[in-house]
Amino acid sequence: MDAVMLSRLQFGATAMYHFIFVPLTLGLGILVAIMETLYYKTKNEVYLKMTKFWGRLFLINFILGIVTGITLEFQFGTNWAQYSIYVGDIFGAPLAIEATLAFFLESTFLGVWLFGWKRISPKMHLISIWLVAFSSNLSALWILIANAWMQDPVGFVLKNNRAEMTDFFAVVFSPYAWLKFTHTITAGFVVGSFFVMGISAYHLLKKQNVEFFKKSFYIGATFGLIASVLVFLIGDFHAAEVAHVQPTKLAAMESLWNTEKAAPIYLILVPDESKKTNLVEAFPIPSLLSLLAYHDPNATVRGLNSFPENDIPPVTPVFLSFRIMVGLGTLFIILTILAWWYARKDKLLEHRTFLKIMLYSLPLPYIATQVGWILAEVGRQPWIVYGLLRTNDAVSKNLTVGDVLLTLGVFIVLYTALAVLDFALLIYYARKGPLETD
């Protein structure tokens, strides 16, 4: 492996570690705020205990998420200096806003919420957790605006072999950015809801704190059902935007090699990259790909063979990531409908098999978000900025294989230790249940 591939592996590995924590922060923060709102309105002590119990798990995840995110931005200087030189004027702006606005707002009011019990008014305490939840998602917005520019560069000119921003609002209000943002945060909401339902299912199976966890499960199921439907619907619009701005990614997502009018989607399909074809194509749904991509059943969809060979992304990982993501997204809708119905009718304890399914389903939204990022980033290759700058041209010039091997090894060991610590703490406090002091 050369320095470019190792740098890609390093950034990909650290980003995926970081993205273990981010979706839960986005979703669980909103859920904790909802629980405290219910306590503020009803004065029911159960909701107060829920706020503190789930808030403790939120804090553990949040703290370790910060640690894993810090090194990502440093890599733009150490490993991707040519990229930073080329697009730093544009890419740096949303990242700076994220750090100076969203992150500071989030950190400040998290401290107010954590240490403000019985020190500030209940209303101010409630406002503080909503500000934490809002700023967590605001932080995601600015990071995704930066990433969306890499996918669909807008509002710039090339000057002196560098991209310079000419229209800040074109960058901020890029349709690709807002579709990516809403798709990502709703996926985080699904992670948060399944986290709450999975842990609640564990305690309900053991018949521990039954009323507490029945209420928690119902809140998670309601939130999860709404989020699961939204993430699926937004994903459809996002795929249509991908078809418009990244046709190579769309073709790789469906392993479409030849340009077709009224292109179908095959329920069973096995790509063969070496022969630039598919080994198996079975059970086609006529015109569905054209309809979903361009909202026209007779639209023409370009195949991979119509693009230069050096512009085609790795097909198999993109195709598999898309299929896994869509399959899991469909499963989440089914599970959350059942979860909401059983919780609504107070029949959870009668369906122990379903509770076990929800417990074992807890990791599935994490998998869905990870393959979603693999789809987004691998599908953009061989470009680091789509259509402008190739990944091979973005790496730091003086970087050696030894340099990256050393840091990659250190990151893997360190981040694995942090992930194990996070899971150990979450499992310990989740199994412990609400404390008497809560």
Side-chain angles (χ1 to χ4, degrees):
M1 288 190 181
D2 59 10
V4 175
M5 180 55 70
L6 286 170
S7 293
R8 288 177 63 188
L9 284 174
Q10 178 175 288
F11 195 89
T14 51
M16 290 182 75
Y17 272 112
H18 181 54
F19 210 64
I20 292 172
F21 308 98
V22 171
L24 184 57
T25 297
L26 298 176
L28 192 54
I30 298 284
L31 283 163
V32 172
I34 290 170
M35 291 168 185
E36 186 162 352
T37 301
L38 291 171
Y39 169 66
Y40 180 79
K41 287 188 172 183
T42 66
K43 306 304 178 187
N44 186 332
E45 291 293 321
V46 173
Y47 291 123
L48 176 60
K49 284 181 174 287
M50 288 167 61
T51 301
K52 292 187 175 182
F53 172 73
W54 297 109
R56 182 182 297 112
L57 300 179
F58 171 79
L59 285 168
I60 293 169
N61 184 79
F62 178 84
I63 292 167
L64 289 169
I66 291 173
V67 176
T68 57
I70 292 172
T71 58
L72 285 169
E73 292 189 21
F74 286 117
Q75 291 180 62
F76 293 126
T78 57
N79 294 67
W80 302 100
Q82 295 304 117
Y83 167 79
S84 298
I85 291 169
Y86 190 84
V87 302
D89 286 357
I90 300 172
F91 194 78
L95 293 184
I97 294 170
E98 185 274 332
T100 57
L101 174 62
F103 179 71
F104 277 99
L105 182 67
E106 180 181 29
S107 303
T108 299
F109 281 96
L110 184 62
V112 172
W113 183 79
L114 176 60
F115 299 108
W117 292 103
K118 298 182 180 179
R119 291 183 175 89
I120 58 177
S121 69
K123 185 176 183 179
M124 188 62 222
H125 197 268
L126 175 62
I127 291 172
S128 66
I129 189 59
W130 275 110
L131 286 172
V132 170
F134 167 76
S135 53
S136 295
N137 287 272
L138 181 64
S139 179
L141 171 62
W142 290 107
I143 291 170
L144 291 168
I145 285 172
N147 181 270
W149 191 86
M150 298 167 65
Q151 310 282 347
D152 180 26
V154 293
F156 73 99
V157 294
L158 290 177
K159 190 175 182 181
N160 300 322
N161 202 33
R162 294 172 69 249
E164 297 183 4
M165 187 186 300
T166 58
D167 189 342
F168 176 74
F169 293 103
V171 174
V172 171
F173 295 106
S174 160
Y176 198 102
W178 283 88
L179 286 167
K180 192 175 186 67
F181 167 67
T182 51
H183 191 53
T184 302
I185 64 165
T186 48
F189 297 167
V190 174
V191 171
S193 66
F194 271 75
F195 183 82
V196 170
M197 287 189 290
I199 293 172
S200 298
Y202 169 83
H203 286 280
L204 290 174
L205 285 165
K206 291 183 172 293
K207 297 184 179 179
Q208 299 171 341
N209 298 288
V210 171
E211 290 305 314
F212 178 97
F213 285 108
K214 279 165 62 175
K215 288 181 181 294
S216 293
F217 192 100
Y218 180 66
I219 292 171
T222 304
F223 189 65
L225 175 57
I226 296 169
S228 296
V229 172
L230 284 175
V231 76
F232 203 91
L233 293 175
I234 295 167
D236 174 62
F237 287 102
H238 192 24
E241 186 68 13
V242 167
H244 176 64
V245 302
Q246 292 184 327
T248 52
K249 181 186 286 186
L250 176 76
M253 285 161 56
E254 292 296 345
S255 190
L256 181 69
W257 295 96
N258 299 312
T259 299
E260 293 187 42
K261 184 177 181 180
I265 284 181
Y266 293 92
L267 296 181
I268 298 177
L269 192 151
V270 180
D272 185 351
E273 287 190 68
S274 62
K275 296 181 180 179
K276 301 188 186 322
T277 187
N278 296 319
L279 291 174
V280 177
E281 292 180 344
F283 306 111
I285 303 176
S287 303
L288 185 59
L289 178 56
S290 293
L291 179 64
L292 293 177
Y294 297 105
H295 298 154
D296 177 0
N298 295 311
T300 298
V301 183
R302 289 184 66 183
L304 291 163
N305 291 328
S306 69
F307 298 96
E309 188 170 353
N310 64 345
D311 287 349
I312 297 174
V315 175
T316 301
V318 174
F319 168 79
L320 290 176
S321 295
F322 181 65
R323 288 289 171 113
I324 292 169
M325 183 181 67
V326 172
L328 288 175
T330 304
L331 177 63
F332 297 154
I333 293 175
I334 296 169
L335 289 177
T336 52
I337 289 173
L338 291 172
W340 180 82
W341 180 256
Y342 290 148
R344 176 82 172 175
K345 296 298 181 179
D346 196 18
K347 293 184 177 181
L348 288 170
L349 296 180
E350 299 174 20
H351 295 84
R352 292 182 60 82
T353 300
F354 180 73
L355 288 175
K356 289 178 182 178
I357 291 172
M358 294 308 297
L359 171 60
Y360 298 136
S361 295
L362 197 157
L364 295 182
Y366 285 94
I367 295 171
T369 57
Q370 293 287 349
V371 296
W373 272 109
I374 291 171
L375 167 61
E377 299 306 301
V378 177
R380 191 185 62 238
Q381 300 305 316
W383 306 95
I384 192 168
V385 180
Y386 191 80
L388 286 183
L389 180 65
R390 293 184 182 270
T391 305
N392 287 344
D393 299 326
V395 75
S396 302
K397 287 184 177 180
N398 297 324
L399 202 62
T400 67
V401 170
D403 293 334
V404 190
L405 277 174
L406 176 62
T407 54
L408 177 59
V410 170
F411 280 140
I412 288 175
V413 171
L414 177 61
Y415 277 38
T416 300
L418 289 171
V420 169
L421 176 62
D422 177 65
F423 293 142
L425 288 171
L426 289 176
I427 291 170
Y428 174 77
Y429 283 105
R431 293 179 66 181
K432 201 169 184 178
L435 304 177
E436 290 300 322
T437 54
D438 284 349

